[in-house]
């Protein structure tokens, strides 16, 4: 049974001027195969652990989720970036809208869920305002154990918990590296219950590790089905990985340096956020693996259909020829609603459904872009569930490093975020960062006449 299809008609010269012809497609497929073989070598060498996650043992996570079941009204997840975007995506796609407004029974005895990612005081205060310490369980998620936002939010939330319950330990679990980092030290000292993020799984690629799966299991999401869907990418012989990465590489080489992901489903809105991190952090690199400056990358853009038809599509259609759009189509929307036209003016809607309208709008946008020579590809899934979401995650987790490795960059590091982090540590007077404070003071120079 094919639960996902890739349609690349409108990336092809046969339909869109400047698109791929058969020989370009074959050449770029060759390049993508080379990227894939480099990636699979890293997998074999145990360096790219994300690829082996579908075969991990999930029993300890499921057992723990069962132990917690029914005991807590709220789950606060503390983490940011790779440690929050994946679980946000899982919640957005697989829990109903308004989930937190449902009562305990309607939620199947699973807790409400709050993601404490940003150090935005109003967000954190509002989350704590909603929760009762005695009824709250907290997962602190940080692979490095040192991320400043996570450390700060954990401190604030721990104090709140400690003030409200006798034994805060019973309300906390950590998800972090097995050996390294401050949170591992704290976890061992305090004897917090803890789960390990595998050392060979990078933060951006961690959604299908304990980072995404443990909270998902606590929320009643079928984590085995997610992994089953993820496993199909390899089972399908990476056919879609090769084709999709070929198409993206071709258009990047043509100077189309904006890559738009546009699911036609609000349930995939957070998936597009997750993709932006994966694409941006993995592919935006100043140098290649030999240290040569190449300023590689293309800019990921999130759009959600049909909402962005009333916003960004004007630009996609009539603006610069610098984009390739990837649509995601959900063929059968859950809980679809028939439209009964209550007024004659809306008679044309009679008998259609909201899901059908959403998909018709996708076709219409696809046609309109094609008609102005703007390339697009379309991924169709038969419905959105754990299996297809797992497949989507894994597909992009392959496509992105294949592009990176085929272009001689390292898709698994993020040196570009270090400098800013280190200035912040310097400004916070963290031990060992005084030189960064001095460097900041030296370079952060502004002129008053440029401030009005
Ligand atoms: O790409 C990354 O690794 C980052 O986005 C991290 O996921 C983010 O900085 C959080 O890191 P950590 O899980 O170590 O707290």
């Amino acid at each position: 049974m094919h639960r996902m299809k890739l349609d690349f008609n409108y990336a092809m010269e046969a339909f869109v001027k400047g698109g791929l012809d058969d020989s370009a497609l074959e050449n770029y497929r060759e390049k993508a195969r080379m990227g894939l073989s480099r990636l699979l070598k890293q997998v074999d060498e145990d360096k790219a652990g994300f690829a082996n996650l579908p075969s991990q043992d999930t029993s300890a996570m499921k057992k723990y989720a069962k132990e917690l079941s029914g005991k807590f009204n709220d789950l606060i997840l503390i983490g940011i970036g790779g440690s929050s975007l994946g679980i946000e995506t899982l919640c957005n796609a697989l829990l109903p809208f308004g989930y937190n407004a449902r009562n305990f029974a309607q939620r199947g005895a699973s807790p409400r869920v709050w993601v404490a990612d940003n150090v935005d005081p109003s967000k954190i205060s509002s989350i704590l305002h909603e929760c009762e310490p005695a009824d709250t369980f907290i997962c602190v998620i940080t692979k490095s154990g040192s991320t400043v936002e996570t450390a700060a939010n954990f401190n604030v939330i721990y104090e709140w918990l400690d003030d409200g319950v006798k034994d805060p330990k019973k309300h906390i679990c950590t998800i972090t590296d097995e050996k390294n980092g401050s949170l591992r030290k704290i976890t061992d000292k305090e004897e917090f219950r803890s789960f390990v993020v595998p050392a060979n799984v990078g933060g951006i690629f961690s959604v299908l590790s304990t980072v995404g799966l443990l909270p998902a299991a606590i929320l009643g999401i079928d984590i085995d089905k997610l992994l089953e869907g993820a496993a199909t990418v390899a089972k399908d012989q990476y056919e879609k990985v090769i084709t999709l990465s070929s198409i993206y590489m071709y258009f990047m080489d043509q100077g189309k340096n904006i890559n738009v992901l546009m699911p036609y489903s609000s349930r995939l809105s957070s998936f597009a956020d997750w993709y932006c991190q994966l694409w941006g952090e993995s592919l935006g690199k100043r140098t290649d693996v030999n240290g040569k400056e190449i300023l590689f990358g293309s800019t990921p853009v999130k759009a959600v259909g049909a909402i962005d038809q009333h916003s960004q599509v004007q630009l996609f259609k009539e603006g610069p020829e610098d984009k390739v759009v990837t649509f995601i189509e959900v063929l059968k929307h859950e809980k679809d609603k028939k439209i009964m036209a209550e007024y004659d003016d809306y008679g044309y809607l009679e008998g259609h459904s909201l899901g059908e309208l959403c998909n018709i709008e996708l076709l219409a946008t696809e046609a309109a872009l094609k008609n102005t020579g703007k390339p697009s590809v379309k991924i169709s899934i038969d419905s959105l569930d754990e299996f297809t979401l797992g497949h989507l995650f894994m597909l992009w987790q392959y496509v992105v490093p294949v592009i990176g490795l085929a272009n001689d960059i390292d898709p698994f590091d993020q040196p570009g975020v270090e400098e800013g982090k280190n200035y912040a540590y310097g400004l916070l007077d963290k031990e060992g960062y005084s030189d960064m404070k001095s460097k900041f003071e030296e370079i952060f120079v502004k002129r008053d006449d440029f401030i009005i």
Side-chain angles (χ1 to χ4, degrees), residues 79-85 141-150 175 202-206 211 277 281 414 417 421:
I80 196 166
S83 291
S84 67
L85 288 160
I141 312 169
T142 164
K143 182 173 180 196
S144 64
S146 61
T147 302
V148 64
E149 297 86 352
T150 304
I175 303 175
I204 320 173
F205 294 83
S206 67
V211 166
Q277 188 212 22
E281 280 205 343
Q414 308 89 35
V417 299
K421 261 192 213 172

Side-chain angles (χ1 to χ4, degrees), residues 431-446:
E431 208 185 317
Y433 289 84
S434 57
D435 53 333
M436 288 312 286
K437 188 175 184 176
S438 315
K439 187 168 174 208
F440 173 85
E441 282 159 1
E442 187 191 316
I443 65 156
F444 197 73
V445 180
K446 293 195 176 180

Side-chain angles (χ1 to χ4, degrees), residues 321-381:
E321 302 201 317
D322 55 3
K323 300 172 195 68
V324 53
V325 176
T326 302
F327 296 110
I328 303 181
E329 175 182 45
V330 181
L331 291 168
K332 190 170 177 338
H333 289 268
E334 233 177 63
K335 302 185 186 118
D336 204 358
K337 282 260 180 233
K338 274 265 178 251
I339 309 168
M340 299 300 163
E342 303 284 346
Y343 304 98
D344 287 351
D345 280 0
Y346 303 141
Y348 67 96
L349 290 170
E350 177 77 33
H352 295 292
S353 71
L354 293 180
E356 197 188 344
L357 173 60
C358 195
N359 291 350
I360 284 174
E361 294 206 64
L362 191 165
L363 298 180
T365 304
E366 210 184 345
L369 291 189
K370 179 227 172 200
N371 207 30
T372 29
K374 302 289 164 61
S376 67
V377 295
K378 183 168 68 179
I379 304 230
S380 303
I381 50 176

Side-chain angles (χ1 to χ4, degrees), residues 239-448:
E239 206 195 333
K240 295 185 184 75
V241 173
I242 298 285
T243 303
L244 205 49
S245 37
S246 314
I247 293 168
Y248 293 150
M249 286 193 287
Y250 169 82
F251 285 117
M252 282 167 85
D253 286 350
Q254 300 293 307
K256 294 196 190 301
N257 49 29
I258 296 181
N259 195 290
V260 180
L261 186 68
M262 187 169 187
Y264 267 69
S265 165
S266 286
R267 294 173 61 201
L268 287 170
S269 171
S270 300
F271 182 79
D273 291 321
W274 172 86
Y275 139 86
C276 284
Q277 188 212 22
L278 176 70
W279 187 277
E281 280 205 343
S282 305
L283 295 181
K285 298 289 150 74
R286 186 172 63 84
T287 60
D288 68 12
V289 285
N290 302 311
K292 185 171 164 230
E293 184 161 283
I294 55 169
L295 305 177
F296 187 78
S298 79
T299 303
V301 167
K302 166 187 177 173
V304 176
I307 299 166
D308 273 287
Q309 285 183 205
H310 304 269
S311 170
Q312 299 190 87
V313 166
Q314 167 66 30
L315 171 72
F316 298 165
K317 183 168 159 57
E318 296 195 346
E321 302 201 317
D322 55 3
K323 300 172 195 68
V324 53
V325 176
T326 302
F327 296 110
I328 303 181
E329 175 182 45
V330 181
L331 291 168
K332 190 170 177 338
H333 289 268
E334 233 177 63
K335 302 185 186 118
D336 204 358
K337 282 260 180 233
K338 274 265 178 251
I339 309 168
M340 299 300 163
E342 303 284 346
Y343 304 98
D344 287 351
D345 280 0
Y346 303 141
Y348 67 96
L349 290 170
E350 177 77 33
H352 295 292
S353 71
L354 293 180
E356 197 188 344
L357 173 60
C358 195
N359 291 350
I360 284 174
E361 294 206 64
L362 191 165
L363 298 180
T365 304
E366 210 184 345
L369 291 189
K370 179 227 172 200
N371 207 30
T372 29
K374 302 289 164 61
S376 67
V377 295
K378 183 168 68 179
I379 304 230
S380 303
I381 50 176
D382 61 5
S383 60
L384 179 54
D385 53 29
E386 279 91 339
F387 185 95
T388 49
L389 185 61
H391 194 161
L392 284 172
F393 276 132
M394 197 53 111
L395 178 65
W396 259 274
Q397 290 190 136
Y398 270 97
V399 164
V400 167
V402 162
I403 295 173
L405 293 167
N407 284 283
D408 297 325
I409 62 140
D410 182 351
F412 299 119
D413 66 0
Q414 308 89 35
V417 299
E418 291 309 313
E419 188 174 342
K421 261 192 213 172
N422 293 337
Y423 287 141
Y425 285 145
L427 293 171
L428 288 163
D429 293 319
K430 185 174 174 180
E431 208 185 317
Y433 289 84
S434 57
D435 53 333
M436 288 312 286
K437 188 175 184 176
S438 315
K439 187 168 174 208
F440 173 85
E441 282 159 1
E442 187 191 316
I443 65 156
F444 197 73
V445 180
K446 293 195 176 180
R447 278 172 39 182
D448 282 349

Side-chain angles (χ1 to χ4, degrees), residues 22-124:
D22 289 345
S23 105
L25 183 60
E26 198 30 53
N27 290 341
Y28 277 88
R29 275 192 169 137
E30 211 34 59
K31 189 171 173 179
R33 277 185 210 109
M34 189 255 287
L36 179 65
S37 80
R38 287 178 175 175
L39 176 58
L40 295 178
K41 185 164 174 281
Q42 294 207 14
V43 174
D44 279 349
E45 290 166 351
D46 222 17
K47 290 181 187 153
F50 77 89
N52 292 324
L53 291 174
S55 58
Q56 74 194 280
D57 181 0
T58 56
S59 51
M61 287 184 270
K62 288 185 296 196
K63 184 165 174 266
Y64 189 53
K66 208 164 167 196
E67 279 169 34
L68 295 177
S69 174
K71 295 206 176 112
F72 295 95
N73 193 50
D74 288 288
L75 171 66
I76 302 180
L77 305 172
I78 307 174
I80 196 166
S83 291
S84 67
L85 288 160
I87 185 65
E88 291 248 39
T89 304
L90 289 161
C91 293
N92 174 215
L94 302 172
L95 303 179
F97 286 103
Y99 170 81
N100 276 2
R102 297 188 171 199
N103 67 34
F104 194 65
Q106 289 166 337
R107 297 193 310 267
S110 293
R112 301 189 296 178
V113 57
W114 311 91
V115 179
D117 49 3
N118 206 359
V119 277
D120 180 327
S122 64
K123 180 170 189 177
I124 302 305

